[in-house]
């Protein structure tokens, strides 16, 4: 880490087994009217917000791009001094998130070397016939790793091996109907303050009490994002970006 930023290696590395990555995600409107998504690691040095609040270590920025088919985001490290001097509002690209036309499938990829891309996570959403009144159902498929964070399977496109034994499939935890609030809800342990269809928890179907990724709204344009093993910061942020994206099939 240097001057409130994380290294590219840290962003790709899986969260260690004994730790929890706690982050704050913010929707920002730039001077050119483009809306970007920034994520900060809480409680780790870092930067201050416009109101003087402590944001933490700036990890990544998601930049949307127009696409004829589906939506596309590039994931960047924060801009450095050279970027600012050149008028750039984001740094080197480290990943991307792409969707299909309906917004039911998102592919999260990392870049390495000379523009070589590797799929690291596939997120799918079921069509939500209840609209904003019902919870979303989603799954995330990632490559299996050992406890050191090392991949234990050949590096092949996940889209072609979603059901392979070395691919881990996570599912959104099913919320329960609360008769008092007359809404579906989950226990977010004081990390989420506002009800939203975007709120979710990803768990393994064999251990629904171990929350791998948790995401939820705390204020207008402000969300929390928490991740545990076997997710990496890039993967978790990519999943959060997919939840934030507009979906034709999932209002």
């Amino acid at each position: 880490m240097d001057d409130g930023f994380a290294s590219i290696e840290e962003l790709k590395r899986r969260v260690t087994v004994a730790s929890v990555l706690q982050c704050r995600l913010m929707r920002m409107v730039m001077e050119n009217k483009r809306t970007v998504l920034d994520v900060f690691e809480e409680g780790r040095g870092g930067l201050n917000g416009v109101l003087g609040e402590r944001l933490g270590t700036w990890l990544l920025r998601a930049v949307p791009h127009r696409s004829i088919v589906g939506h596309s985001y590039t994931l960047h490290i924060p801009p450095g001094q050279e970027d600012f001097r050149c008028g750039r509002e984001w740094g080197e690209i480290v990943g991307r998130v792409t969707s299909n036309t309906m917004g039911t499938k998102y592919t999260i990829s990392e870049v390495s070397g000379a523009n070589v891309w590797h799929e690291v996570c596939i997120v799918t959403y079921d069509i939500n016939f209840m609209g904003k009144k019902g919870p979303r159902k989603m799954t995330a498929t990632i490559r299996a790793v050992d406890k050191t964070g090392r991949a234990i399977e050949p590096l092949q496109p996940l889209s072609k091996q979603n059901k392979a034994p070395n691919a881990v499939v996570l599912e959104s935890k099913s919320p329960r109907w609360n008769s008092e609030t007359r809404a579906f809800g989950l226990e977010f342990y004081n990390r989420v303050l506002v009800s939203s269809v975007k709120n979710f928890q990803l768990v393994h179907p064999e251990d629904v009490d171990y929350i791998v990724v948790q995401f939820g709204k705390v204020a207008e344009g402000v969300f929390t994002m928490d991740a545990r093993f076997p997710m990496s910061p890039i993967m978790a942020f990519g999943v959060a970006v997919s939840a934030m994206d507009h979906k034709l099939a999932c209002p």
Side-chain angles (χ1 to χ4, degrees):
M1 183 184 69
D2 180 48
D3 296 330
F5 303 115
S7 68
I8 296 177
E9 290 74 19
E10 288 179 280
L11 298 173
K12 293 182 178 181
R13 189 181 305 136
R14 305 294 180 103
V15 179
T16 58
V17 176
S19 63
V20 178
L21 176 70
Q22 292 189 312
C23 299
R24 177 155 299 201
L25 188 149
M26 303 184 69
R27 185 192 293 119
M28 312 285 287
V29 180
M30 312 305 292
E31 292 183 359
N32 59 7
K33 305 302 181 182
R34 174 179 279 182
T35 300
V36 299
L37 301 173
D38 290 339
V39 64
F40 303 84
E41 181 180 357
E42 298 177 352
R44 181 184 169 189
L47 309 173
N48 292 328
V50 294
L51 300 179
E53 72 276 25
R54 199 68 171 169
L55 295 177
T57 299
W58 191 359
L59 299 181
L60 292 159
R61 167 168 285 177
V63 181
H65 301 274
R66 293 181 180 179
S67 175
I68 298 177
V69 180
H71 294 168
S72 174
Y73 297 80
T74 48
L75 308 181
H76 301 257
I77 60 174
Q81 293 183 357
E82 182 62 28
D83 296 304
F84 282 124
R85 280 196 292 267
C86 297
R88 292 188 293 264
E89 296 177 316
W90 43 81
E92 180 181 347
I93 184 172
V94 294
R96 67 186 177 195
V97 180
T98 55
S99 78
N100 61 6
T101 303
M102 297 298 291
T104 56
K105 181 179 179 180
Y106 291 79
T107 301
I108 303 165
S109 305
E110 293 178 354
V111 66
S112 62
N115 200 30
V116 178
W117 291 90
H118 302 292
E119 294 178 4
V120 295
C121 183
I122 302 292
V123 184
T124 57
Y125 292 84
D126 291 351
I127 296 177
N128 191 348
F129 295 103
M130 296 180 67
K132 294 183 179 180
K133 295 182 179 180
R136 290 175 176 172
K137 177 65 176 177
M138 60 189 290
T139 61
T141 304
I142 63 176
R143 288 192 178 84
V145 294
D146 58 26
K147 291 186 177 181
T148 66
R150 182 178 300 172
I152 59 175
E153 81 290 348
L155 201 60
Q156 300 174 1
L158 273 174
S159 55
K160 298 180 181 179
Q161 61 165 26
N162 281 4
K163 297 185 182 300
N166 287 332
V168 176
V169 180
L170 307 172
E171 300 177 351
S172 53
K173 191 172 184 177
S174 299
R176 296 181 179 179
W177 176 259
N178 188 319
S179 58
E180 294 182 359
T181 60
R182 300 187 61 80
F184 291 96
L186 290 168
E187 174 56 68
F188 285 100
Y189 308 99
N190 298 320
R191 293 284 291 163
V192 176
L193 303 179
V194 181
S195 297
S196 172
V197 70
K198 298 179 177 67
N199 299 350
F200 70 85
Q201 292 175 332
L202 280 180
V203 298
H204 193 281
E206 295 182 2
D207 187 1
V208 296
D209 293 324
Y210 182 84
I211 301 171
V212 181
V213 180
Q214 175 174 284
F215 179 80
K217 188 174 183 179
V218 296
E220 186 62 34
V222 183
F223 300 78
T224 55
M225 183 195 82
D226 301 338
R228 300 168 75 181
F229 180 85
M231 279 286 180
S232 70
I234 287 181
M235 293 162 61
F237 186 44
V239 176
V241 169
S242 77
M244 295 282 289
D245 188 45
H246 175 71
K247 302 168 182 58
L248 292 176
C250 309

